[in-house]
mmCIF file of all heavy atoms in Angstrom:
data_model
loop_
_atom_site.group_PDB
_atom_site.id
_atom_site.type_symbol
_atom_site.label_atom_id
_atom_site.label_comp_id
_atom_site.label_asym_id
_atom_site.label_seq_id
_atom_site.Cartn_x
_atom_site.Cartn_y
_atom_site.Cartn_z
ATOM 1 N N SER A 84 119.836 44.695 10.012
ATOM 2 C CA SER A 84 120.285 45.985 10.517
ATOM 3 C C SER A 84 121.187 45.822 11.739
ATOM 4 O O SER A 84 121.221 44.781 12.388
ATOM 5 C CB SER A 84 119.077 46.852 10.900
ATOM 6 O OG SER A 84 118.467 46.326 12.068
ATOM 7 N N SER A 85 121.910 46.860 12.039
ATOM 8 C CA SER A 85 122.756 46.856 13.231
ATOM 9 C C SER A 85 121.916 46.663 14.487
ATOM 10 O O SER A 85 122.332 45.982 15.418
ATOM 11 C CB SER A 85 123.535 48.175 13.322
ATOM 12 O OG SER A 85 124.455 48.293 12.257
ATOM 13 N N GLU A 86 120.740 47.282 14.515
ATOM 14 C CA GLU A 86 119.881 47.153 15.700
ATOM 15 C C GLU A 86 119.497 45.701 15.958
ATOM 16 O O GLU A 86 119.481 45.240 17.106
ATOM 17 C CB GLU A 86 118.631 48.022 15.543
ATOM 18 C CG GLU A 86 118.940 49.516 15.516
ATOM 19 C CD GLU A 86 117.762 50.346 15.083
ATOM 20 O OE1 GLU A 86 116.659 49.785 14.981
ATOM 21 O OE2 GLU A 86 117.949 51.548 14.840
ATOM 22 N N LYS A 88 121.196 43.035 14.921
ATOM 23 C CA LYS A 88 122.403 42.308 15.319
ATOM 24 C C LYS A 88 122.690 42.511 16.805
ATOM 25 O O LYS A 88 123.019 41.567 17.528
ATOM 26 C CB LYS A 88 123.597 42.790 14.493
ATOM 27 C CG LYS A 88 123.542 42.404 13.021
ATOM 28 C CD LYS A 88 124.709 43.025 12.261
ATOM 29 C CE LYS A 88 124.632 42.720 10.770
ATOM 30 N NZ LYS A 88 125.709 43.411 10.009
ATOM 31 N N VAL A 89 122.577 43.742 17.251
ATOM 32 C CA VAL A 89 122.838 44.033 18.660
ATOM 33 C C VAL A 89 121.779 43.401 19.549
ATOM 34 O O VAL A 89 122.075 42.884 20.628
ATOM 35 C CB VAL A 89 122.909 45.560 18.885
ATOM 36 C CG1 VAL A 89 123.005 45.878 20.372
ATOM 37 C CG2 VAL A 89 124.098 46.152 18.142
ATOM 38 N N PHE A 241 122.847 56.231 10.137
ATOM 39 C CA PHE A 241 122.707 55.959 11.564
ATOM 40 C C PHE A 241 122.856 54.480 11.880
ATOM 41 O O PHE A 241 123.256 54.114 12.992
ATOM 42 C CB PHE A 241 121.368 56.479 12.101
ATOM 43 C CG PHE A 241 121.247 56.308 13.588
ATOM 44 C CD1 PHE A 241 122.024 57.069 14.447
ATOM 45 C CD2 PHE A 241 120.388 55.356 14.126
ATOM 46 C CE1 PHE A 241 121.951 56.896 15.829
ATOM 47 C CE2 PHE A 241 120.307 55.180 15.506
ATOM 48 C CZ PHE A 241 121.088 55.956 16.361
ATOM 49 N N ASP A 242 122.552 53.625 10.918
ATOM 50 C CA ASP A 242 122.727 52.189 11.153
ATOM 51 C C ASP A 242 124.191 51.884 11.478
ATOM 52 O O ASP A 242 124.495 51.152 12.424
ATOM 53 C CB ASP A 242 122.271 51.398 9.926
ATOM 54 C CG ASP A 242 122.257 49.905 10.168
ATOM 55 O OD1 ASP A 242 121.398 49.442 10.945
ATOM 56 O OD2 ASP A 242 123.113 49.198 9.601
ATOM 57 N N GLU A 243 125.090 52.473 10.706
ATOM 58 C CA GLU A 243 126.520 52.291 10.983
ATOM 59 C C GLU A 243 126.908 52.930 12.312
ATOM 60 O O GLU A 243 127.660 52.347 13.097
ATOM 61 C CB GLU A 243 127.360 52.898 9.855
ATOM 62 C CG GLU A 243 127.402 52.073 8.585
ATOM 63 C CD GLU A 243 128.498 52.543 7.633
ATOM 64 O OE1 GLU A 243 129.230 53.498 7.986
ATOM 65 O OE2 GLU A 243 128.614 51.966 6.538
ATOM 66 N N LEU A 244 126.419 54.134 12.555
ATOM 67 C CA LEU A 244 126.765 54.831 13.787
ATOM 68 C C LEU A 244 126.211 54.104 15.007
ATOM 69 O O LEU A 244 126.861 54.055 16.068
ATOM 70 C CB LEU A 244 126.225 56.270 13.743
ATOM 71 C CG LEU A 244 126.625 57.166 14.925
ATOM 72 C CD1 LEU A 244 128.140 57.318 15.000
ATOM 73 C CD2 LEU A 244 125.950 58.527 14.823
ATOM 74 N N TYR A 245 125.032 53.535 14.872
ATOM 75 C CA TYR A 245 124.430 52.778 15.978
ATOM 76 C C TYR A 245 125.327 51.619 16.386
ATOM 77 O O TYR A 245 125.568 51.379 17.577
ATOM 78 C CB TYR A 245 123.054 52.264 15.566
ATOM 79 C CG TYR A 245 122.356 51.432 16.630
ATOM 80 C CD1 TYR A 245 121.527 52.039 17.568
ATOM 81 C CD2 TYR A 245 122.527 50.051 16.693
ATOM 82 C CE1 TYR A 245 120.894 51.288 18.547
ATOM 83 C CE2 TYR A 245 121.910 49.293 17.667
ATOM 84 C CZ TYR A 245 121.087 49.918 18.591
ATOM 85 O OH TYR A 245 120.471 49.168 19.571
ATOM 86 N N MET A 246 125.860 50.910 15.404
ATOM 87 C CA MET A 246 126.729 49.790 15.728
ATOM 88 C C MET A 246 127.988 50.266 16.444
ATOM 89 O O MET A 246 128.446 49.635 17.403
ATOM 90 C CB MET A 246 127.089 49.017 14.457
ATOM 91 C CG MET A 246 127.959 47.786 14.720
ATOM 92 S SD MET A 246 127.172 46.567 15.827
ATOM 93 C CE MET A 246 126.121 45.696 14.656
ATOM 94 N N TYR A 247 128.537 51.367 15.977
ATOM 95 C CA TYR A 247 129.708 51.924 16.650
ATOM 96 C C TYR A 247 129.379 52.291 18.099
ATOM 97 O O TYR A 247 130.150 51.980 19.016
ATOM 98 C CB TYR A 247 130.209 53.163 15.901
ATOM 99 C CG TYR A 247 131.310 53.885 16.636
ATOM 100 C CD1 TYR A 247 132.606 53.355 16.674
ATOM 101 C CD2 TYR A 247 131.060 55.081 17.323
ATOM 102 C CE1 TYR A 247 133.627 54.009 17.382
ATOM 103 C CE2 TYR A 247 132.071 55.730 18.024
ATOM 104 C CZ TYR A 247 133.345 55.185 18.054
ATOM 105 O OH TYR A 247 134.337 55.818 18.753
ATOM 106 N N CYS A 248 128.245 52.957 18.310
ATOM 107 C CA CYS A 248 127.847 53.339 19.671
ATOM 108 C C CYS A 248 127.653 52.105 20.548
ATOM 109 O O CYS A 248 127.987 52.122 21.744
ATOM 110 C CB CYS A 248 126.573 54.172 19.637
ATOM 111 S SG CYS A 248 126.774 55.822 18.941
ATOM 112 N N TYR A 249 127.130 51.054 19.965
ATOM 113 C CA TYR A 249 127.008 49.805 20.737
ATOM 114 C C TYR A 249 128.381 49.290 21.132
ATOM 115 O O TYR A 249 128.627 48.943 22.292
ATOM 116 C CB TYR A 249 126.271 48.731 19.934
ATOM 117 C CG TYR A 249 126.556 47.350 20.494
ATOM 118 C CD1 TYR A 249 126.055 46.963 21.729
ATOM 119 C CD2 TYR A 249 127.391 46.453 19.800
ATOM 120 C CE1 TYR A 249 126.366 45.724 22.272
ATOM 121 C CE2 TYR A 249 127.698 45.210 20.337
ATOM 122 C CZ TYR A 249 127.183 44.854 21.575
ATOM 123 O OH TYR A 249 127.512 43.635 22.122
ATOM 124 N N TYR A 250 129.268 49.238 20.169
ATOM 125 C CA TYR A 250 130.589 48.704 20.444
ATOM 126 C C TYR A 250 131.288 49.427 21.596
ATOM 127 O O TYR A 250 131.843 48.800 22.487
ATOM 128 C CB TYR A 250 131.472 48.801 19.194
ATOM 129 C CG TYR A 250 131.241 47.733 18.152
ATOM 130 C CD1 TYR A 250 131.424 48.020 16.792
ATOM 131 C CD2 TYR A 250 130.857 46.439 18.519
ATOM 132 C CE1 TYR A 250 131.237 47.043 15.821
ATOM 133 C CE2 TYR A 250 130.666 45.465 17.548
ATOM 134 C CZ TYR A 250 130.844 45.770 16.206
ATOM 135 O OH TYR A 250 130.661 44.794 15.250
ATOM 136 N N VAL A 251 131.294 50.747 21.551
ATOM 137 C CA VAL A 251 132.123 51.483 22.502
ATOM 138 C C VAL A 251 131.405 51.886 23.784
ATOM 139 O O VAL A 251 132.065 52.268 24.753
ATOM 140 C CB VAL A 251 132.731 52.746 21.845
ATOM 141 C CG1 VAL A 251 133.564 52.365 20.642
ATOM 142 C CG2 VAL A 251 131.659 53.759 21.458
ATOM 143 N N ILE A 285 123.932 53.756 24.473
ATOM 144 C CA ILE A 285 123.796 54.436 23.177
ATOM 145 C C ILE A 285 123.566 55.930 23.402
ATOM 146 O O ILE A 285 124.178 56.774 22.742
ATOM 147 C CB ILE A 285 122.633 53.837 22.362
ATOM 148 C CG1 ILE A 285 122.848 52.343 22.096
ATOM 149 C CG2 ILE A 285 122.443 54.606 21.053
ATOM 150 C CD1 ILE A 285 124.001 52.026 21.191
#
Side-chain angles (χ1 to χ4, degrees):
S84 71
S85 294
E86 294 168 10
K88 291 175 183 176
V89 173
F241 185 70
D242 187 70
E243 284 194 1
L244 185 61
Y245 178 90
M246 182 60 82
Y247 173 74
C248 290
Y249 160 70
Y250 281 148
V251 302
I285 300 293

